[in-house]
Amino acid sequence: MANDPIIRVEELTAKYGDNVVFDRVSFEVMRGEVFIILGGSGCGKSTMLKHMIGLYTPFAGRVRIQGDDITRAEGEVRRRILRRLGVMYQSGALFGSMTLLENVRLPLEEFTDYPPEAMDAIAASKLRLVQLEGFEDYMPADISGGMKKRAAIARAMALEPEILFLDEPSAGLDPITSAELDATILRLSRTLGVTFVVVTHELPSIYTIADRVIMLDKETKGIIATGTPAELRDHCENDWVRRFFLRETAAGGEPEVRTT
Amino acid sequence: MSGNEQSGARIESSRDPSGQTLLSIRGRLDSTSAAGVWRRLLELGRAAGASGLVVDASALEYCDGAGASLLVALERQQREAGGGFHVRGLREEFQKLVEMIEPAPARVEAAPEHREGFFEGIGRATLRLLSDTRTLMVFVGELTVMLGRALRHPRQLRFKDLFLVAERAGIGAIPIVTLVGFLLGLILAFQSAIPMQRFGAQIFVADLLGISLLRELGPLMAAILLTARSGSAFAAEIGTMKVNEEVDALTTMGLEPVSFLAVPRVLAAVVVVPVLAMLTNVAGLAGGALMFQTLDFPLVTYVNRVVAATSLGDFVGGLFKSFVFGIVVAAVGCLRGLQTGKGAEAVGESTTSAVVSGIVLIAFIDGIFAVVFYAMGI
Ligand SMILES: Nc1ncnc2c1ncn2[C@@H]1O[C@H](COP(=O)(O)OP(=O)(O)OP(=O)(O)O)[C@@H](O)[C@H]1O
Ligand SMILES: [Mg+2]
């Protein structure tokens, strides 16, 4: 992993109306790493992601992607940055009026000059990558939730992005598919040097793929921990973080195990 | 001392020497019996007020989630009244249940509710209306720029969407537009024929029909039907996309939601509404013709009267109006869709709001047109 930051989040503050979600948060994502954003439900992980991809304008602070400030970029500059990003939203966000293949094709149509048959071929190969071969002509409404997630990941990967943002990619997937997804992430990261920013709660997945983890917190509206999963589990002084990694309940101790 | 026997739970209320109220609960406090004693227990608690309340649960044999909720409700009520509260003798497993519902330290104080006065309400509504109008004007402006760009670079336009929308909003509307137009003409002719007959002026029914349909009713009806059928559909479609983060996904793919979603729809509406208005005119005139037959005039007379009474200006003016209505109705539909908040109800709200604002705007703009056309002598 090269040691230069591909994304720099600088003193970022996000608000919905008067409700501050996080306050003056700064961190860096290194080129080629798998970077995980953790935190309790509703602490602002999706909000953070949406600021990092320039969808929301922050109340204060900036986000630099390879030096360009995406929060203030417009026109061609913005397009140039967006071209390098792939995003999978928490809800999948497939276009309901298009087939899976058309969904994956759309970014190609928008950003590239491939001949149509090449676009089809690329889109189909992305669907194969997430084990969705044979479902090219299905509408999003006609496939399962986990399949939608995978199709959305395929779409996020359509343009061979340098940075992939995934919001809870493995939520709703069975353990096997989820493990396959982890393998895909690792493969892309190790062979192509793709940088990943992933929001997830899946501990096994975190241990498998994560290079570095940050933990957002609702109370302090900031980052309460940074490090590798093992560091956070073994050395973090913050109780909540340690409990998260050990899967303990608030009362201490693991949840009582079924004995029958 | 008062006793109370109710399906398993018994409550006794007494006052101890220090003036505190003592409520002892015996038996089973479960989802069945809690319902029976809920109000009574809270009333007894309220009577204790600031003097303080002690609940003796040592004789409580069983308590489930419902019972625990009742104890928590009692505690909250007592806290609000500013009196002390204490439970004694509650078995440990039940105590845990209570803590699950109300973890001891984190007590959230509800913010004092702010009740809006009548004038404040009016003021707020006015401000909302003003900012709403402003947003709409900005949006129509943005849309116009995008439309201009789309017309200059027609290759970037999504023709597939355009045709799809035009088909649904236009061809799909033909039956209802024809029906409504025909009935409108028929009824209008009938209603006006009766008073006119008294003066032997039935022949002027043709004039009246021709002018009112071409100038006013044709464009108006077509626009209102478009609002109801397509303005609402635009808001619902785009609103659903908003809720599903699809609009966000478009943005990150470098596709401007306004040009991707709104431009094809508005363009389709602009093409479709004048055609629908013409159709309404024709259907209305046909309805009038049918009525005219019953007045024993030959059809030729009717046609001649209509042609003589109306001018090209009436026709073109009407079409221009419907063109403007089309832009506004489609723009409002798309805007409401893009403004959709979170959740399924938000989509419903945008849909309703698209129809309401659409119709209000049609009426408003129609008024402006009446004044302008009058001033221009059309
Ligand atoms: N569009 C919005 N408007 C207003 N408030 C919002 C909006 N989106 C999110 N919020 C609020 O911001 C906070 C953070 O939301 P966010 O979706 O970022 O959480 P999250 O960490 O992704 O949670 P989860 O793990 O459940 O997905 C929440 O309290 C939420 O209520
Ligand atoms: Mg989220």
Side-chain angles (χ1 to χ4, degrees), chain A residues 50 53 55 78-79 82 89-91 93-96 110-111 155, chain B residues 158 160 241 243-255 260:
Chain A
K50 287 185 177 172
I53 56 179
L55 200 58
R78 189 177 151 82
R79 256 180 88 82
L82 287 177
Y89 293 86
Q90 191 165 1
S91 62
L94 295 173
F95 301 116
E110 181 57 22
F111 282 106
R155 187 179 65 185
Chain B
R158 296 188 64 82
K160 204 178 125 205
M241 294 184 70
V243 171
N244 286 343
E245 297 181 306
E246 287 169 48
V247 174
D248 292 350
L250 280 178
T251 313
T252 34
M253 281 182 205
L255 295 160
F260 191 85

PDB file of all heavy atoms in Angstrom, chain A residues 50 53 55 78-79 82 89-91 93-96 110-111 155, chain B residues 158 160 241 243-255 260:
ATOM      1  N   LYS A  50     -22.000  10.130   1.834  1.00  0.00           N
ATOM      2  CA  LYS A  50     -22.595  11.016   0.839  1.00  0.00           C
ATOM      3  C   LYS A  50     -21.868  12.346   0.749  1.00  0.00           C
ATOM      4  O   LYS A  50     -21.898  12.999  -0.284  1.00  0.00           O
ATOM      5  CB  LYS A  50     -24.075  11.233   1.148  1.00  0.00           C
ATOM      6  CG  LYS A  50     -24.873   9.988   0.831  1.00  0.00           C
ATOM      7  CD  LYS A  50     -26.346  10.163   0.994  1.00  0.00           C
ATOM      8  CE  LYS A  50     -27.036   8.874   0.576  1.00  0.00           C
ATOM      9  NZ  LYS A  50     -28.454   8.879   0.871  1.00  0.00           N
ATOM     10  N   ILE A  53     -18.650  11.660  -1.405  1.00  0.00           N
ATOM     11  CA  ILE A  53     -18.810  11.566  -2.850  1.00  0.00           C
ATOM     12  C   ILE A  53     -19.392  12.852  -3.429  1.00  0.00           C
ATOM     13  O   ILE A  53     -19.788  12.892  -4.588  1.00  0.00           O
ATOM     14  CB  ILE A  53     -19.711  10.376  -3.242  1.00  0.00           C
ATOM     15  CG1 ILE A  53     -21.060  10.476  -2.549  1.00  0.00           C
ATOM     16  CG2 ILE A  53     -19.033   9.071  -2.903  1.00  0.00           C
ATOM     17  CD1 ILE A  53     -21.996   9.361  -2.891  1.00  0.00           C
ATOM     18  N   LEU A  55     -22.128  14.447  -2.802  1.00  0.00           N
ATOM     19  CA  LEU A  55     -23.569  14.517  -3.039  1.00  0.00           C
ATOM     20  C   LEU A  55     -24.200  15.615  -2.193  1.00  0.00           C
ATOM     21  O   LEU A  55     -25.099  16.308  -2.630  1.00  0.00           O
ATOM     22  CB  LEU A  55     -24.172  13.163  -2.680  1.00  0.00           C
ATOM     23  CG  LEU A  55     -25.519  12.840  -3.247  1.00  0.00           C
ATOM     24  CD1 LEU A  55     -25.478  12.915  -4.756  1.00  0.00           C
ATOM     25  CD2 LEU A  55     -25.902  11.436  -2.821  1.00  0.00           C
ATOM     26  N   ARG A  78     -15.893  18.445 -11.597  1.00  0.00           N
ATOM     27  CA  ARG A  78     -16.717  17.533 -10.820  1.00  0.00           C
ATOM     28  C   ARG A  78     -16.914  16.211 -11.576  1.00  0.00           C
ATOM     29  O   ARG A  78     -16.793  15.133 -11.017  1.00  0.00           O
ATOM     30  CB  ARG A  78     -18.067  18.204 -10.570  1.00  0.00           C
ATOM     31  CG  ARG A  78     -18.951  17.494  -9.606  1.00  0.00           C
ATOM     32  CD  ARG A  78     -20.212  18.321  -9.405  1.00  0.00           C
ATOM     33  NE  ARG A  78     -21.315  17.437  -9.080  1.00  0.00           N
ATOM     34  CZ  ARG A  78     -21.533  16.971  -7.861  1.00  0.00           C
ATOM     35  NH1 ARG A  78     -20.748  17.326  -6.881  1.00  0.00           N
ATOM     36  NH2 ARG A  78     -22.535  16.158  -7.631  1.00  0.00           N
ATOM     37  N   ARG A  79     -17.178  16.330 -12.851  1.00  0.00           N
ATOM     38  CA  ARG A  79     -17.349  15.137 -13.677  1.00  0.00           C
ATOM     39  C   ARG A  79     -16.093  14.291 -13.677  1.00  0.00           C
ATOM     40  O   ARG A  79     -16.156  13.065 -13.622  1.00  0.00           O
ATOM     41  CB  ARG A  79     -17.662  15.548 -15.121  1.00  0.00           C
ATOM     42  CG  ARG A  79     -19.109  15.381 -15.519  1.00  0.00           C
ATOM     43  CD  ARG A  79     -19.295  15.813 -16.946  1.00  0.00           C
ATOM     44  NE  ARG A  79     -19.055  14.726 -17.889  1.00  0.00           N
ATOM     45  CZ  ARG A  79     -19.942  13.804 -18.193  1.00  0.00           C
ATOM     46  NH1 ARG A  79     -21.124  13.813 -17.617  1.00  0.00           N
ATOM     47  NH2 ARG A  79     -19.672  12.866 -19.063  1.00  0.00           N
ATOM     48  N   LEU A  82     -15.985  12.501 -10.393  1.00  0.00           N
ATOM     49  CA  LEU A  82     -17.030  11.481 -10.292  1.00  0.00           C
ATOM     50  C   LEU A  82     -16.714  10.268 -11.157  1.00  0.00           C
ATOM     51  O   LEU A  82     -17.036   9.135 -10.806  1.00  0.00           O
ATOM     52  CB  LEU A  82     -18.381  12.073 -10.713  1.00  0.00           C
ATOM     53  CG  LEU A  82     -19.012  13.042  -9.727  1.00  0.00           C
ATOM     54  CD1 LEU A  82     -20.298  13.607 -10.298  1.00  0.00           C
ATOM     55  CD2 LEU A  82     -19.290  12.352  -8.402  1.00  0.00           C
ATOM     56  N   TYR A  89     -25.215   2.476  -2.952  1.00  0.00           N
ATOM     57  CA  TYR A  89     -26.000   3.065  -1.872  1.00  0.00           C
ATOM     58  C   TYR A  89     -26.592   1.988  -0.993  1.00  0.00           C
ATOM     59  O   TYR A  89     -26.770   0.849  -1.416  1.00  0.00           O
ATOM     60  CB  TYR A  89     -27.116   3.938  -2.456  1.00  0.00           C
ATOM     61  CG  TYR A  89     -26.570   5.143  -3.142  1.00  0.00           C
ATOM     62  CD1 TYR A  89     -26.172   5.077  -4.462  1.00  0.00           C
ATOM     63  CD2 TYR A  89     -26.407   6.329  -2.457  1.00  0.00           C
ATOM     64  CE1 TYR A  89     -25.641   6.175  -5.093  1.00  0.00           C
ATOM     65  CE2 TYR A  89     -25.868   7.427  -3.076  1.00  0.00           C
ATOM     66  CZ  TYR A  89     -25.490   7.354  -4.392  1.00  0.00           C
ATOM     67  OH  TYR A  89     -24.955   8.434  -5.011  1.00  0.00           O
ATOM     68  N   GLN A  90     -26.928   2.422   0.229  1.00  0.00           N
ATOM     69  CA  GLN A  90     -27.445   1.468   1.200  1.00  0.00           C
ATOM     70  C   GLN A  90     -28.688   0.739   0.677  1.00  0.00           C
ATOM     71  O   GLN A  90     -28.865  -0.438   0.906  1.00  0.00           O
ATOM     72  CB  GLN A  90     -27.766   2.194   2.513  1.00  0.00           C
ATOM     73  CG  GLN A  90     -28.047   1.262   3.656  1.00  0.00           C
ATOM     74  CD  GLN A  90     -27.996   1.979   4.994  1.00  0.00           C
ATOM     75  OE1 GLN A  90     -27.767   3.166   5.080  1.00  0.00           O
ATOM     76  NE2 GLN A  90     -28.222   1.236   6.056  1.00  0.00           N
ATOM     77  N   SER A  91     -29.535   1.460  -0.063  1.00  0.00           N
ATOM     78  CA  SER A  91     -30.767   0.825  -0.545  1.00  0.00           C
ATOM     79  C   SER A  91     -30.575   0.181  -1.909  1.00  0.00           C
ATOM     80  O   SER A  91     -31.529  -0.300  -2.495  1.00  0.00           O
ATOM     81  CB  SER A  91     -31.875   1.868  -0.614  1.00  0.00           C
ATOM     82  OG  SER A  91     -31.512   2.868  -1.530  1.00  0.00           O
ATOM     83  N   ALA A  93     -30.506   1.362  -4.799  1.00  0.00           N
ATOM     84  CA  ALA A  93     -30.761   2.463  -5.725  1.00  0.00           C
ATOM     85  C   ALA A  93     -30.618   2.053  -7.187  1.00  0.00           C
ATOM     86  O   ALA A  93     -30.103   2.794  -8.009  1.00  0.00           O
ATOM     87  CB  ALA A  93     -29.861   3.659  -5.416  1.00  0.00           C
ATOM     88  N   LEU A  94     -31.086   0.858  -7.518  1.00  0.00           N
ATOM     89  CA  LEU A  94     -31.152   0.488  -8.936  1.00  0.00           C
ATOM     90  C   LEU A  94     -32.301   1.257  -9.577  1.00  0.00           C
ATOM     91  O   LEU A  94     -33.302   1.540  -8.917  1.00  0.00           O
ATOM     92  CB  LEU A  94     -31.403  -1.009  -9.078  1.00  0.00           C
ATOM     93  CG  LEU A  94     -30.303  -1.924  -8.568  1.00  0.00           C
ATOM     94  CD1 LEU A  94     -30.763  -3.369  -8.627  1.00  0.00           C
ATOM     95  CD2 LEU A  94     -29.037  -1.741  -9.380  1.00  0.00           C
ATOM     96  N   PHE A  95     -32.168   1.563 -10.859  1.00  0.00           N
ATOM     97  CA  PHE A  95     -33.254   2.269 -11.527  1.00  0.00           C
ATOM     98  C   PHE A  95     -34.346   1.274 -11.877  1.00  0.00           C
ATOM     99  O   PHE A  95     -34.137   0.349 -12.656  1.00  0.00           O
ATOM    100  CB  PHE A  95     -32.745   2.987 -12.760  1.00  0.00           C
ATOM    101  CG  PHE A  95     -31.682   3.973 -12.422  1.00  0.00           C
ATOM    102  CD1 PHE A  95     -30.405   3.827 -12.897  1.00  0.00           C
ATOM    103  CD2 PHE A  95     -31.959   5.028 -11.577  1.00  0.00           C
ATOM    104  CE1 PHE A  95     -29.410   4.720 -12.545  1.00  0.00           C
ATOM    105  CE2 PHE A  95     -30.975   5.918 -11.208  1.00  0.00           C
ATOM    106  CZ  PHE A  95     -29.702   5.766 -11.698  1.00  0.00           C
ATOM    107  N   GLY A  96     -35.513   1.522 -11.303  1.00  0.00           N
ATOM    108  CA  GLY A  96     -36.595   0.552 -11.417  1.00  0.00           C
ATOM    109  C   GLY A  96     -37.121   0.365 -12.821  1.00  0.00           C
ATOM    110  O   GLY A  96     -37.715  -0.661 -13.138  1.00  0.00           O
ATOM    111  N   GLU A 110     -22.863   7.085 -20.078  1.00  0.00           N
ATOM    112  CA  GLU A 110     -22.701   8.480 -19.727  1.00  0.00           C
ATOM    113  C   GLU A 110     -21.251   8.931 -19.840  1.00  0.00           C
ATOM    114  O   GLU A 110     -20.974  10.046 -20.227  1.00  0.00           O
ATOM    115  CB  GLU A 110     -23.230   8.694 -18.304  1.00  0.00           C
ATOM    116  CG  GLU A 110     -23.156  10.107 -17.795  1.00  0.00           C
ATOM    117  CD  GLU A 110     -23.890  11.093 -18.684  1.00  0.00           C
ATOM    118  OE1 GLU A 110     -24.787  10.663 -19.433  1.00  0.00           O
ATOM    119  OE2 GLU A 110     -23.556  12.304 -18.654  1.00  0.00           O
ATOM    120  N   PHE A 111     -20.323   8.051 -19.500  1.00  0.00           N
ATOM    121  CA  PHE A 111     -18.937   8.503 -19.376  1.00  0.00           C
ATOM    122  C   PHE A 111     -17.983   7.986 -20.452  1.00  0.00           C
ATOM    123  O   PHE A 111     -16.852   8.413 -20.513  1.00  0.00           O
ATOM    124  CB  PHE A 111     -18.371   8.081 -18.010  1.00  0.00           C
ATOM    125  CG  PHE A 111     -18.824   8.950 -16.869  1.00  0.00           C
ATOM    126  CD1 PHE A 111     -19.765   8.511 -15.961  1.00  0.00           C
ATOM    127  CD2 PHE A 111     -18.291  10.220 -16.711  1.00  0.00           C
ATOM    128  CE1 PHE A 111     -20.171   9.314 -14.905  1.00  0.00           C
ATOM    129  CE2 PHE A 111     -18.689  11.022 -15.654  1.00  0.00           C
ATOM    130  CZ  PHE A 111     -19.627  10.569 -14.754  1.00  0.00           C
ATOM    131  N   ARG A 155     -22.963  -2.341 -10.705  1.00  0.00           N
ATOM    132  CA  ARG A 155     -23.089  -1.030 -11.348  1.00  0.00           C
ATOM    133  C   ARG A 155     -22.007  -0.076 -10.835  1.00  0.00           C
ATOM    134  O   ARG A 155     -21.434   0.692 -11.602  1.00  0.00           O
ATOM    135  CB  ARG A 155     -24.474  -0.437 -11.076  1.00  0.00           C
ATOM    136  CG  ARG A 155     -24.715   0.830 -11.857  1.00  0.00           C
ATOM    137  CD  ARG A 155     -26.090   1.391 -11.612  1.00  0.00           C
ATOM    138  NE  ARG A 155     -26.256   1.825 -10.233  1.00  0.00           N
ATOM    139  CZ  ARG A 155     -27.399   2.267  -9.739  1.00  0.00           C
ATOM    140  NH1 ARG A 155     -28.477   2.315 -10.501  1.00  0.00           N
ATOM    141  NH2 ARG A 155     -27.489   2.651  -8.485  1.00  0.00           N
TER     142      ARG A 155
ATOM    143  N   ARG B 158     -32.789  11.904 -23.847  1.00  0.00           N
ATOM    144  CA  ARG B 158     -33.174  10.499 -23.761  1.00  0.00           C
ATOM    145  C   ARG B 158     -34.500  10.309 -24.472  1.00  0.00           C
ATOM    146  O   ARG B 158     -35.563  10.438 -23.889  1.00  0.00           O
ATOM    147  CB  ARG B 158     -33.262  10.072 -22.312  1.00  0.00           C
ATOM    148  CG  ARG B 158     -31.930  10.132 -21.613  1.00  0.00           C
ATOM    149  CD  ARG B 158     -31.988   9.528 -20.250  1.00  0.00           C
ATOM    150  NE  ARG B 158     -32.294   8.108 -20.297  1.00  0.00           N
ATOM    151  CZ  ARG B 158     -31.376   7.172 -20.538  1.00  0.00           C
ATOM    152  NH1 ARG B 158     -30.142   7.506 -20.781  1.00  0.00           N
ATOM    153  NH2 ARG B 158     -31.720   5.906 -20.541  1.00  0.00           N
ATOM    154  N   LYS B 160     -35.870   7.721 -25.632  1.00  0.00           N
ATOM    155  CA  LYS B 160     -36.673   6.577 -25.185  1.00  0.00           C
ATOM    156  C   LYS B 160     -37.655   7.033 -24.100  1.00  0.00           C
ATOM    157  O   LYS B 160     -38.850   6.746 -24.162  1.00  0.00           O
ATOM    158  CB  LYS B 160     -35.726   5.509 -24.630  1.00  0.00           C
ATOM    159  CG  LYS B 160     -36.296   4.115 -24.662  1.00  0.00           C
ATOM    160  CD  LYS B 160     -35.266   3.125 -24.133  1.00  0.00           C
ATOM    161  CE  LYS B 160     -35.841   2.327 -23.001  1.00  0.00           C
ATOM    162  NZ  LYS B 160     -34.833   1.809 -22.079  1.00  0.00           N
ATOM    163  N   MET B 241     -38.102   7.455  -6.775  1.00  0.00           N
ATOM    164  CA  MET B 241     -36.672   7.380  -7.081  1.00  0.00           C
ATOM    165  C   MET B 241     -35.849   8.121  -6.038  1.00  0.00           C
ATOM    166  O   MET B 241     -34.771   7.700  -5.650  1.00  0.00           O
ATOM    167  CB  MET B 241     -36.375   7.967  -8.462  1.00  0.00           C
ATOM    168  CG  MET B 241     -36.980   7.171  -9.590  1.00  0.00           C
ATOM    169  SD  MET B 241     -36.503   7.823 -11.192  1.00  0.00           S
ATOM    170  CE  MET B 241     -34.784   7.399 -11.262  1.00  0.00           C
ATOM    171  N   VAL B 243     -36.704   8.595  -2.881  1.00  0.00           N
ATOM    172  CA  VAL B 243     -36.705   7.806  -1.646  1.00  0.00           C
ATOM    173  C   VAL B 243     -35.739   6.626  -1.747  1.00  0.00           C
ATOM    174  O   VAL B 243     -35.059   6.273  -0.791  1.00  0.00           O
ATOM    175  CB  VAL B 243     -38.139   7.333  -1.335  1.00  0.00           C
ATOM    176  CG1 VAL B 243     -38.142   6.335  -0.202  1.00  0.00           C
ATOM    177  CG2 VAL B 243     -39.015   8.518  -0.998  1.00  0.00           C
ATOM    178  N   ASN B 244     -35.656   6.020  -2.923  1.00  0.00           N
ATOM    179  CA  ASN B 244     -34.764   4.870  -3.117  1.00  0.00           C
ATOM    180  C   ASN B 244     -33.320   5.250  -3.376  1.00  0.00           C
ATOM    181  O   ASN B 244     -32.541   4.404  -3.798  1.00  0.00           O
ATOM    182  CB  ASN B 244     -35.236   4.039  -4.306  1.00  0.00           C
ATOM    183  CG  ASN B 244     -36.459   3.239  -3.982  1.00  0.00           C
ATOM    184  OD1 ASN B 244     -36.782   3.047  -2.817  1.00  0.00           O
ATOM    185  ND2 ASN B 244     -37.153   2.795  -4.994  1.00  0.00           N
ATOM    186  N   GLU B 245     -32.979   6.490  -3.193  1.00  0.00           N
ATOM    187  CA  GLU B 245     -31.622   6.992  -3.437  1.00  0.00           C
ATOM    188  C   GLU B 245     -31.232   6.926  -4.911  1.00  0.00           C
ATOM    189  O   GLU B 245     -30.077   7.073  -5.264  1.00  0.00           O
ATOM    190  CB  GLU B 245     -30.575   6.211  -2.604  1.00  0.00           C
ATOM    191  CG  GLU B 245     -30.756   6.355  -1.102  1.00  0.00           C
ATOM    192  CD  GLU B 245     -29.709   5.596  -0.295  1.00  0.00           C
ATOM    193  OE1 GLU B 245     -29.562   4.390  -0.524  1.00  0.00           O
ATOM    194  OE2 GLU B 245     -29.048   6.213   0.546  1.00  0.00           O
ATOM    195  N   GLU B 246     -32.220   6.656  -5.796  1.00  0.00           N
ATOM    196  CA  GLU B 246     -31.881   6.567  -7.219  1.00  0.00           C
ATOM    197  C   GLU B 246     -31.454   7.926  -7.756  1.00  0.00           C
ATOM    198  O   GLU B 246     -30.595   8.013  -8.638  1.00  0.00           O
ATOM    199  CB  GLU B 246     -33.075   6.048  -8.025  1.00  0.00           C
ATOM    200  CG  GLU B 246     -33.336   4.578  -7.816  1.00  0.00           C
ATOM    201  CD  GLU B 246     -34.657   4.139  -8.406  1.00  0.00           C
ATOM    202  OE1 GLU B 246     -34.936   4.486  -9.562  1.00  0.00           O
ATOM    203  OE2 GLU B 246     -35.426   3.463  -7.703  1.00  0.00           O
ATOM    204  N   VAL B 247     -32.093   8.983  -7.214  1.00  0.00           N
ATOM    205  CA  VAL B 247     -31.725  10.319  -7.661  1.00  0.00           C
ATOM    206  C   VAL B 247     -30.278  10.622  -7.273  1.00  0.00           C
ATOM    207  O   VAL B 247     -29.504  11.171  -8.058  1.00  0.00           O
ATOM    208  CB  VAL B 247     -32.697  11.370  -7.086  1.00  0.00           C
ATOM    209  CG1 VAL B 247     -32.241  12.768  -7.419  1.00  0.00           C
ATOM    210  CG2 VAL B 247     -34.097  11.139  -7.625  1.00  0.00           C
ATOM    211  N   ASP B 248     -29.900  10.192  -6.052  1.00  0.00           N
ATOM    212  CA  ASP B 248     -28.506  10.342  -5.620  1.00  0.00           C
ATOM    213  C   ASP B 248     -27.583   9.584  -6.561  1.00  0.00           C
ATOM    214  O   ASP B 248     -26.526  10.078  -6.948  1.00  0.00           O
ATOM    215  CB  ASP B 248     -28.329   9.786  -4.204  1.00  0.00           C
ATOM    216  CG  ASP B 248     -29.043  10.628  -3.168  1.00  0.00           C
ATOM    217  OD1 ASP B 248     -29.493  11.722  -3.536  1.00  0.00           O
ATOM    218  OD2 ASP B 248     -29.147  10.203  -2.018  1.00  0.00           O
ATOM    219  N   ALA B 249     -27.999   8.360  -6.894  1.00  0.00           N
ATOM    220  CA  ALA B 249     -27.159   7.531  -7.757  1.00  0.00           C
ATOM    221  C   ALA B 249     -26.944   8.219  -9.109  1.00  0.00           C
ATOM    222  O   ALA B 249     -25.842   8.210  -9.640  1.00  0.00           O
ATOM    223  CB  ALA B 249     -27.801   6.163  -7.948  1.00  0.00           C
ATOM    224  N   LEU B 250     -27.995   8.835  -9.629  1.00  0.00           N
ATOM    225  CA  LEU B 250     -27.858   9.570 -10.892  1.00  0.00           C
ATOM    226  C   LEU B 250     -26.806  10.652 -10.762  1.00  0.00           C
ATOM    227  O   LEU B 250     -25.933  10.796 -11.616  1.00  0.00           O
ATOM    228  CB  LEU B 250     -29.189  10.241 -11.258  1.00  0.00           C
ATOM    229  CG  LEU B 250     -30.256   9.387 -11.905  1.00  0.00           C
ATOM    230  CD1 LEU B 250     -31.492  10.226 -12.144  1.00  0.00           C
ATOM    231  CD2 LEU B 250     -29.744   8.832 -13.211  1.00  0.00           C
ATOM    232  N   THR B 251     -26.918  11.399  -9.663  1.00  0.00           N
ATOM    233  CA  THR B 251     -25.997  12.517  -9.483  1.00  0.00           C
ATOM    234  C   THR B 251     -24.552  12.035  -9.471  1.00  0.00           C
ATOM    235  O   THR B 251     -23.695  12.626 -10.117  1.00  0.00           O
ATOM    236  CB  THR B 251     -26.305  13.239  -8.163  1.00  0.00           C
ATOM    237  OG1 THR B 251     -27.704  13.437  -8.101  1.00  0.00           O
ATOM    238  CG2 THR B 251     -25.598  14.563  -8.086  1.00  0.00           C
ATOM    239  N   THR B 252     -24.290  10.939  -8.739  1.00  0.00           N
ATOM    240  CA  THR B 252     -22.898  10.483  -8.680  1.00  0.00           C
ATOM    241  C   THR B 252     -22.460   9.851  -9.989  1.00  0.00           C
ATOM    242  O   THR B 252     -21.277   9.649 -10.201  1.00  0.00           O
ATOM    243  CB  THR B 252     -22.662   9.469  -7.553  1.00  0.00           C
ATOM    244  OG1 THR B 252     -23.823   8.691  -7.406  1.00  0.00           O
ATOM    245  CG2 THR B 252     -22.338  10.180  -6.278  1.00  0.00           C
ATOM    246  N   MET B 253     -23.419   9.505 -10.855  1.00  0.00           N
ATOM    247  CA  MET B 253     -23.005   9.007 -12.164  1.00  0.00           C
ATOM    248  C   MET B 253     -22.813  10.158 -13.133  1.00  0.00           C
ATOM    249  O   MET B 253     -22.677   9.955 -14.338  1.00  0.00           O
ATOM    250  CB  MET B 253     -24.064   8.072 -12.723  1.00  0.00           C
ATOM    251  CG  MET B 253     -23.999   6.714 -12.141  1.00  0.00           C
ATOM    252  SD  MET B 253     -25.249   5.731 -12.915  1.00  0.00           S
ATOM    253  CE  MET B 253     -25.489   4.529 -11.661  1.00  0.00           C
ATOM    254  N   GLY B 254     -22.878  11.367 -12.591  1.00  0.00           N
ATOM    255  CA  GLY B 254     -22.649  12.522 -13.448  1.00  0.00           C
ATOM    256  C   GLY B 254     -23.870  12.908 -14.254  1.00  0.00           C
ATOM    257  O   GLY B 254     -23.783  13.723 -15.169  1.00  0.00           O
ATOM    258  N   LEU B 255     -25.020  12.299 -13.933  1.00  0.00           N
ATOM    259  CA  LEU B 255     -26.236  12.645 -14.672  1.00  0.00           C
ATOM    260  C   LEU B 255     -27.034  13.635 -13.837  1.00  0.00           C
ATOM    261  O   LEU B 255     -27.399  13.337 -12.708  1.00  0.00           O
ATOM    262  CB  LEU B 255     -27.062  11.388 -14.922  1.00  0.00           C
ATOM    263  CG  LEU B 255     -26.390  10.360 -15.826  1.00  0.00           C
ATOM    264  CD1 LEU B 255     -27.004   9.004 -15.635  1.00  0.00           C
ATOM    265  CD2 LEU B 255     -26.522  10.792 -17.269  1.00  0.00           C
ATOM    266  N   PHE B 260     -31.982  14.735 -16.621  1.00  0.00           N
ATOM    267  CA  PHE B 260     -32.242  13.320 -16.905  1.00  0.00           C
ATOM    268  C   PHE B 260     -33.703  12.968 -16.693  1.00  0.00           C
ATOM    269  O   PHE B 260     -34.299  12.227 -17.468  1.00  0.00           O
ATOM    270  CB  PHE B 260     -31.373  12.460 -15.984  1.00  0.00           C
ATOM    271  CG  PHE B 260     -31.350  11.006 -16.340  1.00  0.00           C
ATOM    272  CD1 PHE B 260     -30.477  10.529 -17.296  1.00  0.00           C
ATOM    273  CD2 PHE B 260     -32.199  10.113 -15.718  1.00  0.00           C
ATOM    274  CE1 PHE B 260     -30.444   9.184 -17.624  1.00  0.00           C
ATOM    275  CE2 PHE B 260     -32.175   8.762 -16.038  1.00  0.00           C
ATOM    276  CZ  PHE B 260     -31.296   8.301 -16.992  1.00  0.00           C
TER     277      PHE B 260
END
